[in-house]
Amino acid sequence: MLNFLPGPVLFILSLSLLIINTALWGTLVCLGGVVKMLMPVPSARNAVTALMNRFMWAWASCNGGILYLIAKIEWDVQGLEGLDKNGWYLLISNHLSGFDIAAQTYLLRNHIPMLKFFLKKELIYVPIMGLGCWALDMPFMDRTSPAKLKKNPKLKGKDLATTRRACEKFKNMPTSIINYVEGSRFTEDKRQRQDSPYRHLLRPKAGGIAFTLSAMGEQFTNLLDVTLVYPDAPDDVLFGVMNGKVHKIVVRVRALPVPQVDATRYFAESEYRVEFQRWLNQIWVEKDEQIDALLLQHRQLTDSATSTHTQLH
């Protein structure tokens, strides 16, 4: 535990360790990607992918070790019971910081398959990163722009068919895919600009999750609604963590039935899309109330501890 060190020293130390950790496991994943490209047998490629996922698990575990080293953090977690590393899950979550991914992969690494993200197809051509993501079997999406669809209506449905083909590999491989449905990290300024009806959240966007469910909804065991709160963090959560200024992380996980999405109706009928958006909005209403209650509880506990400390002195 090095949280007694000054903030600037902790920041330099944590940044150095995070770079080393990411470089080490990222290099191994990329090397695995090269080996995987040379494997002609599908079963051998699957074995390499499984090893790459173990490397990602090791990256997440080392991130947890770095966190333990630089900060004294209390994890308040509920809802992990009953999750299965051999299951298929679609996660939706609020999004507060660049630290969210590290926190969630570390927390969930022993409970569900390693998290994957839908990525734009163009990212596969980015040096190193593209190869690493491909080695981890991240699904790449080929999204047709609205302008192209307008010029050539025959392309309608092509994106979904392409994504379904990309997800075929997951039928026999337990998978967790995460979607930050707000589309951006939460800030109070963004909330006000959106005129968001929520106190602690941005407006959720249904398109991405509907597309995912249309492509592979029948494969998922559950939809996992994940709520993430940093009750004592500064506005810049990642910077606060690296300076040892974050002392508590609250996570609530709720398993929900997987909604069925009729792709034909969703992309053709506005009323069907509105109904699906209402379903997602209701989840966000409940999440907003939950976050508010968690923050209130934290303030009450902090005020009580401060009052007790004052009385003792």
Side-chain angles (χ1 to χ4, degrees), residues 125-274:
Y125 303 109
V126 176
I128 301 177
M129 185 184 78
L131 178 60
C133 291
W134 178 82
L136 289 165
D137 267 353
M138 299 285 182
F140 290 90
M141 297 172 64
D142 188 7
R143 298 298 298 268
T144 305
S145 68
K148 286 185 177 179
L149 281 176
K150 189 174 181 179
K151 289 181 179 179
N152 188 359
K154 292 182 179 180
L155 294 176
K156 190 173 183 178
K158 179 184 175 184
D159 293 350
L160 186 60
T162 302
T163 303
R164 279 179 172 158
R165 286 196 298 272
C167 295
E168 282 289 322
K169 67 188 79 171
F170 298 138
K171 286 188 175 180
N172 300 310
M173 180 188 301
T175 303
S176 300
I177 292 178
I178 187 167
N179 190 317
Y180 292 112
V181 296
E182 292 165 299
S184 179
R185 300 172 194 170
F186 175 87
T187 66
E188 180 58 26
D189 181 59
K190 290 178 186 177
R191 190 190 74 83
Q192 292 182 12
R193 278 191 279 116
Q194 276 191 359
D195 192 23
S196 170
Y198 313 104
R199 291 160 291 185
H200 311 286
L201 300 165
L202 302 179
R203 293 178 180 271
K205 300 176 181 178
I209 182 175
F211 192 89
T212 305
L213 289 169
S214 299
M216 54 181 297
E218 71 281 355
Q219 298 182 38
F220 292 120
T221 309
N222 284 105
L223 176 81
L224 297 184
D225 173 29
V226 180
T227 300
L228 187 60
V229 180
Y230 307 99
D232 63 354
D235 290 339
D236 189 334
V237 177
L238 179 59
F239 187 76
V241 169
M242 294 175 69
N243 279 277
K245 303 298 183 184
V246 175
H247 303 103
K248 188 171 185 177
I249 299 175
V250 181
V251 183
R252 297 290 183 265
V253 181
R254 180 172 60 147
L256 299 173
V258 180
Q260 298 300 310
V261 176
D262 184 319
T264 302
R265 292 190 64 193
Y266 185 86
F267 295 108
E269 301 176 19
S270 60
E271 290 183 6
Y272 191 85
R273 291 195 296 273
V274 168

Side-chain angles (χ1 to χ4, degrees), residues 22 25-34 36-37 45 48-49 52-53 56 59 101 114-141 166 169-170 173:
T22 301
W25 297 110
T27 298
L28 290 174
V29 167
C30 287
L31 290 174
V34 174
K36 185 176 174 178
M37 282 193 294
R45 292 162 71 95
V48 174
T49 299
M52 297 305 99
N53 283 321
M56 188 176 179
W59 170 79
I101 293 173
M114 292 305 298
L115 296 178
K116 298 186 187 301
F117 308 83
F118 273 113
L119 303 172
K120 294 179 181 179
K121 186 177 180 180
E122 291 77 12
L123 292 177
I124 199 171
Y125 303 109
V126 176
I128 301 177
M129 185 184 78
L131 178 60
C133 291
W134 178 82
L136 289 165
D137 267 353
M138 299 285 182
F140 290 90
M141 297 172 64
K169 67 188 79 171
F170 298 138
M173 180 188 301

Side-chain angles (χ1 to χ4, degrees), residues 57 60 75 77-80 83-85 89 91 93 100-115 176 178 224 226 251-253:
W57 179 92
W75 288 83
V77 182
Q78 294 178 15
L80 298 180
L83 300 182
D84 185 4
K85 283 205 72 172
Y89 297 100
L91 283 75
S93 174
D100 295 353
I101 293 173
Q104 289 168 327
T105 51
Y106 169 69
L107 175 67
L108 297 168
R109 74 195 190 286
N110 292 325
H111 299 278
I112 63 176
M114 292 305 298
L115 296 178
S176 300
I178 187 167
L224 297 184
V226 180
V251 183
R252 297 290 183 265
V253 181

